[in-house]
Amino acid sequence: MHRTRLYDAAQLEHIVAGMVRQAAGLLAGRTRVAIVGILRRGAPLADRVHAGLIRDHGLVDCVRLDLRIKRYADDLRLLHPDTQLTENPEHAAIDLEGHTVLVVDDVVYRGHSLLRAVQYLAGKRPAEIRTVLLVDRGVACLPLRTDIAGVRLEVAPRDIIECRVPPYEPHFQIDLLQPA
Amino acid sequence: MHRTRLYDAAQLEHIVAGMVRQAAGLLAGRTRVAIVGILRRGAPLADRVHAGLIRDHGLVDCVRLDLRIKRYADDLRLLHPDTQLTENPEHAAIDLEGHTVLVVDDVVYRGHSLLRAVQYLAGKRPAEIRTVLLVDRGVACLPLRTDIAGVRLEVAPRDIIECRVPPYEPHFQIDLLQPA
Amino acid sequence: MHRTRLYDAAQLEHIVAGMVRQAAGLLAGRTRVAIVGILRRGAPLADRVHAGLIRDHGLVDCVRLDLRIKRYADDLRLLHPDTQLTENPEHAAIDLEGHTVLVVDDVVYRGHSLLRAVQYLAGKRPAEIRTVLLVDRGVACLPLRTDIAGVRLEVAPRDIIECRVPPYEPHFQIDLLQPA
Amino acid sequence: MHRTRLYDAAQLEHIVAGMVRQAAGLLAGRTRVAIVGILRRGAPLADRVHAGLIRDHGLVDCVRLDLRIKRYADDLRLLHPDTQLTENPEHAAIDLEGHTVLVVDDVVYRGHSLLRAVQYLAGKRPAEIRTVLLVDRGVACLPLRTDIAGVRLEVAPRDIIECRVPPYEPHFQIDLLQPA
């Protein structure tokens, strides 16, 4: 694979600052707010959005949690993985009723993880659920709306957008990976 | 309630014709197609889209089914209805793998029924799911994307958009209902 | 004509507050800002956006002006009116270089007035021009983008959306006018 | 500058085919159509859209012309170039009244050329003007709407999207150019 840097850390700080401003707009007037990261890379991104809203937009008392979602395939169904959400026992008791929930992830490819997260969260009776993505590739095959997109990068179907987000990677970057 | 006609049958024929053209664009090159109505009024609308695609755009061999979804509240949870899908036993065996699925409904209010339909259909491993709505009110609190909207009518929150669709009503109309 | 109230003054206060929040988002980090109303009804709407940005979002030192644009037809070209902008002599000297300009109007029908305003303002070398509309009817035949829309109301082609804006009308309202 | 190929000719054939399908949708029911390229690279792209509409969608009797637009700076205004359209004498007599006009270009950067083209064409009293772009970078500072975008590529501000379009370049490609 050939790797090309599309965004470096300094450029992404600007992008995330814009996402935080948009999130502040969506949350205006809301008093019950939850910010939910999709593990793995959605979690540190949710942390960044959360920190920005507290620092610059007066957010207080925000529920902050992460969801673990996996595409799962056992031996018999290798070609047809199911999307599974592993509920954290602590989450079972979390009250999101009447909350505005921001679900944060790095990049949506087909949309299965995001759908699974929305479905789980909708069961907790929030007032509304909004999606926040660092990269929108424009290829989701499920009809989920991106409410806040850092950048839209409709690269060729066979190419890969790799978001590198600390602490999982050393530097905050968006890379394009292309088959050699 | 005060009733105002926003669209009559003749005007809606033009709107539906435009929706059919957009649907034909989404389906270009696809050989496996399913059109799914959400009961009640999504079903005759799905029939209209289906008929238009057959008549004017060469659609053949299309799966055509309807889903029954209800918001359900028993005595104990009156304020928190669940969204239930009653699976038609015939549907359990329907193969949608690799299909492009158009889900059709009249108007989305909060988005729970549409989410439930998408979730059910996603379990059948289609290639993609697209949403087709006669009216997009712009108030959905769930992050579902409207791929094809007949008309966008962002009326005041307390007002009601009523789609009247034969055979459930005598004439095809969109009405605005306002508290007196 | 039959008249139906779609939004009253209290409902519109919420809509305008949302437009102001979105405008604040577009202006974040900008130090040179201009707010331009299109006469007649865009002017008091620009005043409302301007006042909201000063009061709630710390806007200072903003250029504020209005443009007079008319569709003009002399005897020989009755069927082909030209869109004319009457330049206020004071405006000739106004410096918009490097500014972020918000152009405000009540409702776009075909788009000619808005295009004329954008064209005039672009000649003053601003950094960027954004459009702010109380109502987007979705029927513009010129390819102008609505950056901020209060409400999207895609009513039937023969129907009229009438924005009533003080001081031109006694109450702030959006009405639908339909042929009898 | 470091060069990365984002789309090769085979991938772009699919993208252009999708643009042609969308254009066919916009033109449905229209009998008077004009396709206008912006020189240089918009012209061969307009040829491709034109050819696709004739071959696959039954387009006949379409006006086909190209516009030459330049950003012009004389000695005194080097920092403030004007956008000039050089009218082809043959174009002065072209009748676009009542036509649906598709304006085609490769990539919009700030939007000045496209605004100049729309302004010129609007003077010819068409029924509507729609914009068709191979790449939408999402950075236009003028409020022009992209009606049909091949791909959305919001790359970092300092990076360059270079569309390579025969006959101006040997192969049809989209490249990303990054400062070394």
Side-chain angles (χ1 to χ4, degrees):
Chain A
M1 302 288 273
H2 181 72
R3 178 181 296 269
T4 304
R5 177 109 337 126
L6 296 182
Y7 280 88
D8 63 24
Q11 292 164 331
L12 284 176
E13 294 303 331
H14 282 89
I15 298 294
V16 171
M19 295 167 71
V20 169
R21 275 198 303 271
Q22 289 181 71
L26 286 185
L27 298 179
R30 270 71 168 180
T31 52
R32 287 184 286 177
V33 174
I35 299 178
V36 178
I38 297 181
L39 286 166
R40 292 197 314 157
R41 292 182 182 76
L45 287 171
D47 286 336
R48 286 172 185 261
V49 171
H50 186 215
L53 287 168
I54 290 172
R55 188 181 56 235
D56 298 331
H57 299 276
L59 180 71
V60 288
D61 283 334
C62 171
V63 176
R64 175 74 190 83
L65 61 93
D66 296 316
L67 299 180
R68 184 169 305 279
I69 294 168
K70 287 221 277 201
R71 295 278 280 166
Y72 168 88
D74 67 20
D75 292 349
L76 297 173
R77 302 173 73 186
L78 209 57
L79 295 169
H80 306 303
D82 270 315
T83 306
Q84 302 264 347
L85 182 143
T86 310
E87 188 172 36
N88 184 326
E90 297 171 40
H91 293 173
I94 280 183
D95 175 24
L96 296 182
E97 194 177 328
H99 283 60
T100 294
V101 180
L102 304 184
V103 191
V104 183
D105 208 351
D106 58 340
V107 56
V108 162
Y109 185 53
R110 296 177 61 80
H112 289 284
S113 298
L114 190 55
L115 176 65
R116 192 65 193 80
V118 167
Q119 183 185 327
Y120 173 77
L121 293 165
K124 292 190 167 290
R125 310 181 190 292
E128 51 190 352
I129 301 176
R130 302 292 174 224
T131 63
V132 181
L133 297 169
L134 182 60
V135 182
D136 186 344
R137 276 199 62 158
V139 294
C141 44
L142 295 175
L144 292 157
R145 194 181 60 207
T146 305
D147 290 298
I148 297 176
V151 292
R152 294 178 200 274
L153 290 169
E154 298 179 1
V155 298
R158 65 171 189 188
D159 294 347
I160 294 166
I161 293 288
E162 187 183 276
C163 296
R164 299 173 67 84
V165 188
Y168 297 112
E169 287 85 19
H171 302 290
F172 193 18
Q173 292 161 354
I174 300 174
D175 286 0
L176 174 71
L177 299 185
Q178 297 178 300
Chain B
M1 301 289 274
H2 181 71
R3 178 181 296 269
T4 304
R5 177 110 338 127
L6 296 182
Y7 280 88
D8 64 24
Q11 292 164 330
L12 285 177
E13 294 303 330
H14 282 91
I15 298 294
V16 171
M19 295 167 71
V20 169
R21 274 198 303 271
Q22 288 181 70
L26 287 185
L27 299 179
R30 272 70 168 180
T31 52
R32 287 184 285 178
V33 174
I35 298 177
V36 178
I38 298 181
L39 285 166
R40 294 192 317 154
R41 290 182 182 76
L45 287 170
D47 286 338
R48 286 171 186 261
V49 171
H50 186 215
L53 287 168
I54 290 171
R55 188 182 56 235
D56 299 332
H57 299 276
L59 180 72
V60 288
D61 283 334
C62 171
V63 176
R64 175 75 190 82
L65 60 94
D66 296 316
L67 300 179
R68 183 169 305 280
I69 294 167
K70 286 221 277 201
R71 295 279 280 165
Y72 167 88
D74 66 19
D75 293 349
L76 298 173
R77 302 173 74 185
L78 208 58
L79 294 169
H80 308 302
D82 272 316
T83 305
Q84 303 264 345
L85 182 143
T86 311
E87 188 172 38
N88 184 327
E90 297 171 39
H91 293 171
I94 281 183
D95 175 24
L96 296 182
E97 195 177 328
H99 284 61
T100 294
V101 180
L102 304 183
V103 191
V104 183
D105 208 351
D106 58 340
V107 55
V108 162
Y109 185 54
R110 296 177 61 81
H112 290 284
S113 298
L114 190 55
L115 176 65
R116 191 67 192 78
V118 167
Q119 182 185 326
Y120 173 77
L121 293 164
K124 292 190 167 290
R125 310 179 190 294
E128 52 189 352
I129 301 177
R130 302 293 175 225
T131 63
V132 181
L133 298 169
L134 183 60
V135 182
D136 186 345
R137 276 199 62 158
V139 294
C141 43
L142 296 175
L144 292 157
R145 193 181 61 208
T146 306
D147 290 299
I148 297 176
V151 292
R152 295 178 199 274
L153 290 169
E154 298 180 0
V155 298
R158 65 173 188 187
D159 294 347
I160 295 165
I161 292 288
E162 187 183 275
C163 297
R164 300 174 67 83
V165 188
Y168 298 113
E169 287 84 20
H171 302 290
F172 193 17
Q173 291 160 355
I174 301 174
D175 286 0
L176 174 71
L177 299 185
Q178 298 178 299
Chain C
M1 303 288 274
H2 182 71
R3 178 181 296 269
T4 304
R5 175 108 339 126
L6 296 182
Y7 281 88
D8 64 22
Q11 293 164 330
L12 285 177
E13 294 303 330
H14 282 89
I15 298 294
V16 171
M19 295 167 70
V20 168
R21 275 198 303 272
Q22 289 181 71
L26 286 186
L27 298 180
R30 271 69 167 183
T31 52
R32 286 184 285 178
V33 174
I35 299 178
V36 178
I38 297 181
L39 286 167
R40 292 194 319 157
R41 291 182 182 76
L45 288 169
D47 286 337
R48 286 171 184 262
V49 171
H50 186 214
L53 287 168
I54 290 172
R55 187 181 57 234
D56 298 332
H57 298 276
L59 180 70
V60 287
D61 282 335
C62 171
V63 176
R64 175 73 190 83
L65 60 95
D66 296 316
L67 299 180
R68 183 169 304 281
I69 294 168
K70 286 221 276 202
R71 296 280 279 166
Y72 168 87
D74 67 20
D75 292 349
L76 297 173
R77 304 172 71 186
L78 209 56
L79 294 169
H80 307 303
D82 272 314
T83 306
Q84 304 264 345
L85 182 143
T86 310
E87 189 172 37
N88 184 328
E90 297 171 39
H91 294 171
I94 281 182
D95 176 24
L96 296 181
E97 194 176 330
H99 284 61
T100 294
V101 180
L102 304 184
V103 191
V104 183
D105 208 351
D106 58 342
V107 55
V108 161
Y109 185 54
R110 295 176 63 79
H112 289 283
S113 298
L114 190 55
L115 175 65
R116 192 66 192 80
V118 167
Q119 182 185 327
Y120 173 77
L121 293 164
K124 293 192 167 288
R125 310 178 189 294
E128 52 190 352
I129 301 176
R130 302 292 176 226
T131 63
V132 181
L133 297 170
L134 182 61
V135 182
D136 186 345
R137 278 198 61 158
V139 294
C141 44
L142 295 176
L144 292 157
R145 192 181 64 207
T146 305
D147 291 298
I148 298 176
V151 293
R152 294 178 200 274
L153 290 169
E154 298 180 359
V155 298
R158 65 172 188 188
D159 294 347
I160 294 166
I161 293 288
E162 187 182 276
C163 296
R164 300 173 66 83
V165 188
Y168 297 113
E169 286 85 21
H171 302 291
F172 193 18
Q173 293 161 354
I174 300 174
D175 286 0
L176 174 71
L177 299 186
Q178 298 177 300
Chain D
M1 303 287 274
H2 182 71
R3 179 182 296 269
T4 304
R5 177 109 337 126
L6 297 182
Y7 280 88
D8 64 22
Q11 292 164 329
L12 285 177
E13 294 302 330
H14 281 90
I15 298 293
V16 171
M19 296 167 71
V20 168
R21 275 198 303 272
Q22 289 181 70
L26 287 186
L27 298 179
R30 270 70 167 180
T31 52
R32 287 184 285 177
V33 173
I35 299 178
V36 178
I38 297 181
L39 286 166
R40 293 192 319 156
R41 290 181 183 76
L45 288 169
D47 286 337
R48 286 171 186 261
V49 171
H50 186 215
L53 288 168
I54 290 172
R55 187 180 58 234
D56 298 332
H57 298 277
L59 180 70
V60 288
D61 282 334
C62 171
V63 176
R64 175 72 190 83
L65 60 95
D66 296 317
L67 299 180
R68 183 170 304 280
I69 294 169
K70 286 221 276 202
R71 295 280 280 167
Y72 168 88
D74 66 20
D75 292 350
L76 297 173
R77 303 172 72 184
L78 208 57
L79 295 169
H80 307 303
D82 272 315
T83 306
Q84 303 264 345
L85 182 143
T86 310
E87 188 171 38
N88 183 326
E90 296 171 41
H91 294 171
I94 281 183
D95 176 23
L96 296 181
E97 195 177 327
H99 284 62
T100 294
V101 180
L102 304 183
V103 191
V104 183
D105 208 351
D106 58 342
V107 55
V108 162
Y109 184 54
R110 297 177 61 80
H112 289 283
S113 298
L114 190 55
L115 176 64
R116 192 64 193 82
V118 167
Q119 181 185 329
Y120 173 77
L121 293 164
K124 292 190 167 289
R125 310 178 190 293
E128 51 189 353
I129 301 176
R130 302 292 176 225
T131 63
V132 181
L133 296 169
L134 182 60
V135 182
D136 186 345
R137 277 199 63 158
V139 294
C141 44
L142 295 176
L144 292 157
R145 194 180 62 207
T146 305
D147 291 297
I148 297 175
V151 293
R152 296 179 198 273
L153 290 169
E154 298 179 359
V155 298
R158 64 172 189 188
D159 293 348
I160 294 166
I161 293 288
E162 187 183 275
C163 296
R164 299 174 66 83
V165 188
Y168 297 113
E169 287 85 21
H171 302 291
F172 193 17
Q173 294 162 353
I174 300 175
D175 286 0
L176 174 71
L177 299 185
Q178 297 177 301

